[in-house]
Amino acid sequence: MTALSVRDIGISFGGVKAVDSVSFDVEEGSIFSIIGPNGAGKTTLFNLISGVYLPKAGTVSLFGEDVTGVAPNRLVARGLSRTFQNLQIFFRMTVAENVMVGRHLKEARGIVPHLLSLPSVVRQNRDSRTEAIRLLDRIGLAGRADDLAANLPYGELKRLEIARALATEPKILLLDEPAAGCNPKETEDIERLIEAIAADGVTVVLVEHDMRLVMRISNRLHVLDYGKTLASGTAEDVRTNPEVIKAYLGTHGAEEAARARR
Amino acid sequence: MGRLFNHPLAAPALIALIVIACGFGLGSNFYLRVAALVWISALAAIGLNLLMGFAGQVSLGHAGFFGIGAYAVAVGPNVLPVSPLLALVLGIALAAVIAYLVGRPILKLKGHYLAVATLGFGILVYMVLSNESGLTGGPDGMPVSRATLFGWRLKGVDTWYWITGGVLVVGAWVAVNLVRSPTGRALRALHDSEVAARVVGVDVARYKLVAFVVSAVYTALAGGLLALFNGFITPDVAGFMHSIEFVVMVVLGGMGSIVGSLVGAAILIALPQALSAFQEYEHLALGLILMVFMIFLRKGIVPSLVALAGRGR
Ligand SMILES: Nc1ncnc2c1ncn2[C@@H]1O[C@H](COP(=O)(O)OP(=O)(O)O)[C@@H](O)[C@H]1O
Ligand SMILES: [Mg+2]
């Protein structure tokens, strides 16, 4: 089944077409990567899919249902969540609380029980925390659950965003440069994490510049340049596409991408 | 020690201890009266803190809600067949409804724009209260009838000391509950990143409105208590200066600190009394003290002191 379908989507900022008539389908349970040079429109595309921006043209569908223009918080209820290229952490909250916010739609949200801290709310807080710790354990941060998020190093915050998104129990997860700024060890951890997430049946849409990582784990790739689709296909198709090599990979990048296979 | 600090009941318990200690420690009616005024202001400041310190949305018009609560108690029994206490309940409900109606459009604004819009709301309430002389007595103010509870007339400074102190403790407890609930987490989350809160399912517009309405309820309750305690009110309770005082209490005591709101209220209410010895230099001294506090304890008094104590360990 097609988990995510994007059709002729586009948006411009002050006359600049940041995303221009882009279309693709993402198969359920697959890892689908979007690559391209800086400024190609990858993050903007994520903003369009996740409802942060309203597209000027085109449609977005999740599991066959048109969700174009649906607010981000409503898309979460339909199984979509995401992370951000530039960290969007709740810095004044603890690490565990950051993940607990991801449980929001799974929690009873009546305000009066919250004001009175009824036993049901206390129980639910405990359950949300247990789930948060389980997810933190998965990204290796359970030991820092009660630290203020502001006190974590960059690489750990990147993973914290993934745990927070996972807390929503997504069916589709958009990851915007999860390995950016991470050291090789952290990058390897993130690669394994993404594979494990996909193995659980979650569809992953990935934006990432680390070509070794991308080429190793993606089922399909989509290449953007100046907001337009440059190429689309398997890692092999993309790696050997002369247009892609010229615009993005370069000869060095293509070699690196090729090495990823071995 | 750290665990004690983090206990959900730490703030309300500490505030209860302070109220009890002052209740038995402050000998004269004069001091009890000042303390009761502190409890009332602290209640309003806690409400505003939920909006500003936790949800991160500014309001320069909260005295408007204070005025709605106060005048509901004063005017209500004159125009409706209700007791002052029932009028207080109606006033709080009215403030909640008005906060909902006003909040819906203006909470779409951010930062300075929200500040100006809330300021406008406060001015509006003030103008209505001072111009509707037929009902409110105009700028000269109006008397408030004594409240009775189960046939018991609520009068005397010490009675009101314990009533306001008790309401403050309950208010602090409810605020802490809220902060630690899913609603509180949603509010704190949208404060730090609205977009991140949205992509994990938080309806940001709704939660800003929740914070606005809850804070309006706190402030209106405080206004109603002041009217009942004082027995007389003027439109100044809804005035711009009063709104600013609430903001100063929240920021000075510490954004996001419930105990801080009490400390901020205590300083703003009690300091002018203490400084009155300086006569014409009173305001100068007050201004200077506020500046020095903010320069040296820039996160507000309570959070800065807690951070200092943490470093000392
Ligand atoms: N909110 C915005 N306002 C104006 N221009 C924007 C906005 N968001 C993105 N852009 C522009 O759109 C283009 C694509 O940016 P982006 O999607 O961030 O690229 P990428 O993620 O591929 O590096 C850039 O030229 C960027 O400056
Ligand atoms: Mg980007």
Side-chain angles (χ1 to χ4, degrees), chain A residues 72-73 76 81-82 84 88 90-93 97 100 104-105 107 109 111 114-117 124-125 164 168, chain B residues 173-174 177-178 180-183 185-186 188-189 191-193 195-203 207 210:
Chain A
N73 50 296
V76 177
S81 191
R82 66 170 285 187
F84 295 88
Q88 295 289 337
F90 308 132
F91 282 108
R92 274 169 276 221
M93 302 173 78
E97 282 175 331
M100 288 165 80
H104 185 70
L105 291 183
E107 296 171 321
R109 296 189 295 283
I111 175 110
H114 291 177
L115 292 168
L116 301 177
S117 199
Q124 181 176 266
N125 273 341
R164 182 179 68 195
T168 68
Chain B
W173 176 72
V174 168
N177 290 344
L178 185 72
R180 292 183 175 241
S181 73
T183 298
R185 287 194 289 276
R188 289 145 68 206
H191 185 180
D192 281 342
S193 170
V195 71
R198 293 171 81 199
V199 304
V200 290
V202 175
D203 184 342
Y207 278 94
V210 165

Side-chain angles (χ1 to χ4, degrees), chain B residues 101-110 113-114 117-118 121 212:
Chain B
L101 295 176
V102 169
R104 270 179 75 111
I106 72 174
L107 288 168
K108 294 200 176 85
L109 305 171
K110 290 191 166 112
Y113 302 97
L114 178 61
T118 50
F121 165 74
F212 198 63

Side-chain angles (χ1 to χ4, degrees), chain B residues 58-118:
Chain B
V58 68
S59 170
L60 297 184
H62 252 48
F65 295 117
F66 195 91
I68 290 169
Y71 274 86
V73 171
V75 176
N78 295 345
V79 296
L80 296 171
V82 293
S83 68
L85 282 185
L86 189 56
L88 172 60
V89 174
L90 292 179
I92 292 167
L94 180 66
V97 170
I98 290 176
Y100 180 82
L101 295 176
V102 169
R104 270 179 75 111
I106 72 174
L107 288 168
K108 294 200 176 85
L109 305 171
K110 290 191 166 112
H112 300 100
Y113 302 97
L114 178 61
V116 171
T118 50

Side-chain angles (χ1 to χ4, degrees), chain A residues 38 42-43 85 176-177 207:
Chain A
N38 278 326
K42 306 177 298 291
T43 297
Q85 175 183 355
D176 198 348
E177 304 203 13
V207 167

Side-chain angles (χ1 to χ4, degrees), chain B residues 162-227:
Chain B
W162 292 110
I163 291 174
T164 53
V167 173
L168 173 65
V169 171
V170 173
W173 176 72
V174 168
V176 169
N177 290 344
L178 185 72
V179 168
R180 292 183 175 241
S181 73
T183 298
R185 287 194 289 276
L187 296 180
R188 289 145 68 206
L190 74 87
H191 185 180
D192 281 342
S193 170
E194 286 191 18
V195 71
R198 293 171 81 199
V199 304
V200 290
V202 175
D203 184 342
V204 165
R206 174 174 182 262
Y207 278 94
K208 284 183 182 176
L209 205 48
V210 165
F212 198 63
V213 170
V214 170
S215 73
V217 163
Y218 269 83
T219 313
L221 170 60
L225 288 176
L226 180 78

Side-chain angles (χ1 to χ4, degrees), chain A residues 37-77:
Chain A
N38 278 326
K42 306 177 298 291
T43 297
T44 306
L45 183 59
F46 267 18
N47 284 334
L48 290 168
I49 296 170
S50 60
V52 175
Y53 291 164
L54 197 64
K56 198 184 72 180
T59 58
V60 179
S61 332
L62 293 182
F63 301 99
E65 275 185 67
D66 186 355
V67 295
T68 319
V70 174
N73 50 296
R74 298 203 182 277
L75 291 178
V76 177

